[in-house]
């Protein structure tokens, strides 16, 4: 397997649970520790529980208790029925630092071998399976190759050629810091919607907050942003106090800036004994918060298919068939929601906020639950 991120580690754990040997090649010199926060929905939390990883026990992160949509000034537009949703789905939402999740996954992977500093340059399908060649000349071979190497996947690039990455003209700022505020209660998540920009403030436990912000800057501006925390703060001048306070408390070094990106969905993820998982297969915008969750689902389904099918190549095609429509829908709906979220037109944004306030709760509940529904495959 190529890549030791969330998708790669989850896949390795699921394969190991099924008695299937796995080795990971990772281009980085060590496990990445530069991430910020993320949220895992009940779909992902349930998959990890099936692999023996209980994120609801309070040892890492924070279970979501309250989710509000507010205006840029902090006025409440809608409170989502989180308790009803998690009761119906049978698992909680958990917000945590990416590094915490990686540490938990690495521990659960046990004796799975990870070779760091192994930047794969190409793969070759052989009569016995597949071989890979690294930048330093090292080679490795296996029955199956799984590309879990992210949106700029080398494995995907070799199969699909020079695909363009889609850019949407807004930047995403992200940070995690120790932070206390009267509005940041235990288990709180608040999304603040303005014109052409948004903000999220989330309790991730241990006295820490995860925040993210977006702003329409155009493709070039979003791709090349290199400002300071003061610049981010200026972008949110006049917003709710909890928004400006958490930005002001954030050192420059803690802010990560990335442009909003995805790729056009492709139906074919692999060939022969090669396939993809996570962002390598179906990178998506963050609007549904399902990038990590869908990668975790991928790993579980892939391991199930390999364990249930004698022919590895056939197993990979069954895995892809099982995942294609769900992930296609997540990519498309993330993109659709992103357009609504980033509306800059004053009339359109007013209508959007009106819809948030007055859409029937039954519709709101269904819209939020649909991306979270995932049935674990059974033998």
């Amino acid at each position: 397997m190529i890549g030791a991120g969330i998708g790669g580690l989850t896949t390795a754990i699921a394969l190991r649970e099924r008695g299937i040997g796995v080795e990971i090649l990772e281009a980085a010199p060590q496990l990445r520790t530069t991430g910020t926060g993320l949220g895992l929905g009940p779909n992902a939390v349930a998959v990890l529980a099936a692999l023996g990883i209980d994120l609801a026990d309070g040892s890492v992160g924070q279970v979501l208790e309250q989710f509000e949509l507010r205006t840029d000034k902090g006025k409440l537009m809608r409170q989502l029925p989180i308790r009803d949703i998690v009761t119906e789905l049978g698992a909680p939402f958990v917000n945590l630092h990416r590094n915490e999740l990686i540490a938990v996954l690495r521990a659960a992977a046990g004796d799975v071998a990870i070779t760091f500093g192994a930047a794969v340059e190409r793969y070759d399908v052989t009569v016995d399976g597949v071989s890979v060649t690294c930048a330093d000349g090292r080679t490795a071979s296996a029955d199956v190759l799984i590309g879990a190497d992210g949106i700029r996947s080398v494995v995907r690039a070799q199969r699909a050629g020079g695909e363009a990455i889609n850019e949407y003209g807004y930047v995403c700022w992200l940070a995690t810091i120790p932070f206390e505020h009267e509005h940041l209660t235990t288990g709180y998540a608040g999304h603040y919607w303005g014109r052409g920009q948004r903000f999220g403030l989330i309790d991730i436990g241990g006295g820490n907050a995860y925040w993210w912000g977006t702003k329409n800057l155009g493709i070039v501006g979003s791709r090349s942003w290199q400002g300071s925390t003061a610049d981010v703060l200026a972008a949110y001048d006049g917003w709710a106090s909890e928004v400006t306070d958490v930005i002001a408390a954030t050192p420059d070094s803690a802010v990560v800036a990335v442009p909003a990106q995805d790729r056009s969905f492709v139906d074919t993820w692999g060939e022969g004994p090669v396939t993809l998982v996570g962002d390598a297969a179906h990178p998506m915008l963050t609007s549904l918060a399902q990038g990590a969750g869908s990668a975790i689902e991928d790993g579980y389904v892939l391991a199930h298919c390999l364990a249930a099918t004698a022919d590895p190549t056939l197993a990979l095609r069954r895995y892809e068939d099982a995942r294609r429509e769900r992930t296609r829908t997540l990519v498309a709906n993330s993109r659709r929601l992103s357009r609504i979220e980033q509306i800059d037109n004053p009339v359109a944004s007013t209508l959007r906020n009106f819809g948030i306030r007055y859409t029937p709760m039954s519709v709101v509940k269904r819209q939020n639950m649909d991306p979270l529904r995932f049935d674990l495959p059974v033998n």
Side-chain angles (χ1 to χ4, degrees):
M1 178 149 49
I2 311 302
I6 293 169
L9 288 172
T10 303
T11 305
I13 294 164
L15 290 170
R16 187 171 176 267
E17 288 288 311
R18 300 279 186 167
I20 300 171
V22 58
E23 178 182 355
I24 300 176
L25 302 180
E26 168 58 50
Q30 59 188 11
L31 287 175
R32 184 162 63 90
T33 59
T34 57
T36 56
L38 57 86
L40 293 180
N43 53 316
V45 173
V47 171
L48 294 179
L51 294 173
I53 301 170
D54 183 4
L55 291 185
D57 66 1
S59 58
V60 296
Q62 174 63 52
V63 171
L64 178 65
E65 301 287 350
Q66 183 180 5
F67 187 6
E68 297 177 341
L69 297 175
R70 293 180 173 269
T71 68
D72 54 356
K73 306 299 184 185
K75 182 178 180 180
L76 180 66
M77 293 192 290
R78 201 68 182 252
Q79 188 170 72
L80 300 187
I82 293 302
R83 290 194 175 95
D84 291 346
I85 289 172
V86 301
T87 297
E88 186 168 337
L89 294 176
F93 291 85
V94 177
N95 295 307
L96 71 170
H97 198 290
R98 182 187 183 277
N99 294 350
E100 289 183 313
L101 179 59
I102 290 292
V104 167
L105 295 176
R106 182 65 188 99
D111 59 1
V112 168
I114 303 178
T115 302
F116 293 100
V120 172
E121 286 195 328
R122 74 170 193 274
Y123 68 83
D124 295 285
V125 176
T126 68
V127 294
D128 298 319
V130 60
S131 67
V132 297
T133 301
C134 297
D136 60 6
R138 282 181 291 177
T139 61
S141 60
D143 296 324
V144 165
L145 173 64
I146 302 165
D149 48 342
I151 189 171
R152 290 171 176 78
S153 168
V154 171
V155 180
R156 175 172 173 148
Q158 180 171 330
R159 184 202 57 76
E163 299 174 284
I165 290 178
N166 301 321
E167 299 185 77
Y168 293 88
Y170 64 92
V171 68
C172 303
W173 297 298
L174 312 100
T176 55
I177 62 165
F179 182 70
E180 293 183 359
H181 194 283
E182 61 180 347
H183 288 294
L184 187 66
T185 55
T186 300
Y188 176 81
H191 288 189
Y192 302 75
W193 291 32
R195 286 178 46 200
Q197 61 185 117
R198 294 173 295 122
F199 196 86
L201 178 62
I202 301 104
D203 174 28
I204 60 171
N208 295 308
Y210 163 48
W211 67 260
W212 54 262
T214 68
K215 186 172 178 61
N216 295 345
L217 295 177
I219 289 176
V220 174
S222 300
R223 187 194 303 158
S224 60
W225 190 88
Q226 294 183 346
S228 64
T229 302
D231 296 316
V232 180
L233 185 60
Y236 290 92
D237 182 41
W239 283 51
S241 65
E242 58 269 32
V243 171
T244 55
D245 287 353
V246 74
I247 297 171
T250 305
D252 289 349
S253 60
V255 178
V256 176
V258 293
Q261 297 178 332
D262 69 5
R263 285 188 186 274
S264 299
F265 192 85
V266 293
D267 288 332
T268 304
W269 296 354
E271 57 181 340
V274 179
T275 195
L276 305 169
V277 300
D279 282 349
H282 44 76
M284 62 188 72
L285 296 172
T286 60
S287 294
L288 289 178
Q290 281 297 324
S294 59
I296 288 169
E297 292 177 3
D298 285 350
Y300 193 91
V301 175
L302 177 52
H304 168 81
C305 291
L306 282 169
T309 310
D311 180 349
T313 297
L314 178 59
L316 299 190
R317 302 295 85 79
R318 287 179 173 172
Y319 150 73
E320 293 163 4
D321 290 343
R323 296 298 295 155
R324 186 172 295 112
E325 290 312 310
R326 172 159 169 77
T327 54
R328 186 202 308 275
T329 299
L330 291 174
V331 170
N333 287 348
S334 294
R335 196 176 295 157
R336 186 177 301 114
L337 181 55
S338 169
R339 287 195 294 268
I340 295 170
E341 292 170 333
Q342 294 299 129
I343 287 173
D344 205 353
N345 179 278
V347 175
S349 62
T350 298
L351 291 173
R352 176 199 64 192
N353 292 358
F354 183 88
I356 291 172
R357 289 188 178 98
Y358 297 111
T359 298
M361 183 58 78
S362 60
V363 176
V364 171
K365 183 178 176 182
R366 175 178 54 79
Q367 290 174 337
N368 281 273
M369 288 183 68
D370 284 350
L372 305 171
R373 295 189 185 277
F374 174 69
D375 295 324
L376 275 70
V378 296
N379 291 330

